Amino acid sequence: MRSVGLLMTGCLFLLFRLNAQPIGVSQIRKNVPLDSIRLSDPFILADKKTNSYYMTGTGGMLWKSPDLKLWEGPYLVAQTDPNSWMGPKPMIWAAELHSFNNKYYYFATFTNRAVKIDTVGKNVIERRASHVLVSDKPDGPYVPMLDATYLPAAKPTLDGTFWVDKDGKPYMVYCYEWLQNNNGTIEKIELKPDLSGSLGPGKLLFRASDSPWSREKDSTGHDRPNKVTDGPFLFLTKTGRLGMLWTSWIYDIYTQGVAYSKSGTLDGPWIQEQEPISPPNFGHGMLFRRLDGKLLMAVHSHKSEKGRTVRIPHLFEADLSGDKLIVGKQYVP
């Protein structure tokens, strides 16, 4: 999910109600190549139980594929409660699917545009937070659990992802948005054992300004670190090193970097790599293993065409066999 001030332009956000009905059969597309799908923040679950791939992202839709080559969709899978803080028509951003303890969990960011929680400068901040839904099947439907909220109502949070740390406890790792704090952060919060809610307060992992590679100009034209944190995703190398993909900007270029935890746990300290990990204008990445075990990275490309922002899912080869993540050439299924 992209930060509002920089990234909403050109996006079409799809809205859902409780007990949302599936898209009509005539609207489901079949045999669609990956590069023909327009989708921000792609996340792919390779599910061995069904021997299939499931792709989500911003918009709350789901695509299915047996082989990563051709896809079927989009399907409505998120069913939210209109009486919750999300309201009847929440935006759904950066959805992820995680298999855990024989259930499937839908980590996503929900925005209720009817509720304003703050105004900072010229930025009016809407009620927005990362949240978790649950299903017995990878293709849903995904429904609410017990807790009404996972993160503080007064803070705009986004791009929640899932990680079980060395202490054996589950966590959500998420961004606290720069629109309010003016220096975006990545934080963690402990989850209940069944992921039905959160426990205790969140904890800071690092700030956008810690990055040596992300840059922007201030109002006087002077160079400074970019303020955006976006799209965290955790991984382990073969040597047991804990890393995190995350995305920001180099001026007007969408860019993805990597940080590594010195302690091997979420508590860090997090050491930022000096250079980006992906080519320019690719970001919000995640790693998954193909059903045959080959490691791939899913990202979206980010470009402007005739005044519209176009985002397309792409795959790259990746390697975690050493002490750090190596991203290879683009992968064509």
Side-chain angles (χ1 to χ4, degrees):
M1 186 210 64
R2 308 282 73 91
S3 292
V4 170
L6 294 176
L7 297 159
M8 280 185 65
T9 304
C11 282
L12 174 63
F13 295 100
L14 298 169
L15 311 176
F16 305 95
R17 297 178 183 268
L18 184 67
N19 298 322
Q21 298 300 310
I23 290 179
V25 173
S26 62
Q27 295 174 272
I28 298 298
R29 299 159 57 197
K30 297 186 177 182
N31 299 320
V32 181
L34 184 65
D35 61 5
S36 295
I37 297 172
R38 299 296 178 262
L39 180 70
S40 302
D41 317 326
F43 191 99
I44 296 176
L45 172 69
D47 185 59
K48 292 184 178 180
K49 289 183 180 179
T50 58
N51 202 39
S52 296
Y53 300 95
Y54 301 87
M55 180 170 64
T56 54
T58 284
M61 309 301 285
L62 179 138
W63 293 81
K64 308 176 187 180
S65 174
D67 56 10
L68 297 175
K69 296 179 182 180
L70 299 175
W71 295 81
E72 177 179 309
Y75 292 93
L76 294 172
V77 295
Q79 297 185 0
T80 58
D81 181 355
N83 297 314
S84 72
W85 66 265
M86 299 178 191
K89 296 181 178 181
M91 292 178 173
I92 303 178
W93 296 351
E96 300 186 359
L97 301 180
H98 295 274
S99 176
F100 180 68
N101 287 349
N102 297 314
K103 288 188 178 293
Y104 296 89
Y105 293 90
Y106 187 93
F107 282 64
T109 302
F110 299 86
T111 300
N112 184 345
R113 302 204 68 187
V115 177
K116 317 300 181 184
I117 63 171
D118 200 359
T119 301
V120 179
K122 297 180 180 180
N123 295 318
V124 176
I125 301 170
E126 299 160 343
R127 178 73 169 94
R128 174 168 49 258
S130 296
H131 200 86
V132 186
L133 308 179
V134 66
S135 178
D136 291 325
K137 301 185 299 180
D139 54 355
Y142 287 88
V143 299
M145 290 185 280
L146 297 177
D147 279 19
T149 62
Y150 283 73
L151 295 165
K155 294 172 63 173
T157 56
L158 57 146
D159 292 0
T161 192
F162 180 55
W163 188 251
V164 178
D165 212 0
K166 283 186 175 180
D167 59 8
K169 297 177 181 179
Y171 292 87
M172 180 192 292
V173 174
Y174 60 92
C175 300
Y176 172 25
E177 195 170 26
W178 67 271
L179 287 173
Q180 188 177 60
N181 62 24
N182 206 39
N183 186 4
T185 65
I186 292 181
E187 306 182 2
K188 73 166 187 176
I189 194 166
E190 184 181 345
L191 299 177
K192 295 179 179 178
D194 63 355
L195 313 192
S196 64
S198 60
L199 298 168
K203 179 180 178 181
L204 174 69
L205 302 185
F206 61 83
R207 304 178 188 277
S209 58
D210 294 340
S211 165
W213 51 264
S214 63
R215 310 304 300 169
E216 67 179 16
K217 298 289 186 181
D218 66 15
S219 59
T220 62
H222 291 94
D223 206 57
R224 67 180 182 187
N226 199 285
K227 62 177 75 73
V228 173
T229 50
D230 185 82
F233 179 84
L234 285 302
F235 62 88
L236 284 176
T237 68
K238 189 174 182 179
T239 62
R241 194 179 186 195
L242 177 62
M244 184 193 302
L245 287 166
W246 69 285
T247 300
S248 189
W249 294 79
I250 301 178
Y251 308 114
D252 61 345
I253 299 174
Y254 193 57
T255 307
Q256 181 174 239
V258 175
Y260 290 98
S261 169
K262 192 172 182 178
S263 69
T265 73
L266 289 177
D267 288 329
W270 288 89
I271 310 302
Q272 305 290 332
E273 291 285 274
Q274 291 296 310
E275 300 294 334
I277 190 72
S278 302
N281 285 319
F282 288 89
H284 202 114
M286 58 83 60
L287 301 169
F288 71 99
R289 291 197 179 275
R290 220 169 51 181
L291 292 169
D292 65 1
K294 182 179 178 63
L295 185 69
L296 298 174
M297 181 177 71
V299 294
H300 74 251
S301 58
H302 184 100
K303 65 179 179 179
S304 179
E305 290 183 353
K306 299 179 180 178
R308 294 179 63 251
T309 301
V310 178
R311 301 181 181 94
I312 303 171
H314 298 268
L315 301 177
F316 282 80
E317 295 181 357
D319 182 8
L320 287 173
S321 63
D323 197 43
K324 65 189 327 184
L325 171 65
I326 303 297
V327 175
K329 63 183 180 180
Q330 279 205 61
Y331 170 79
V332 179

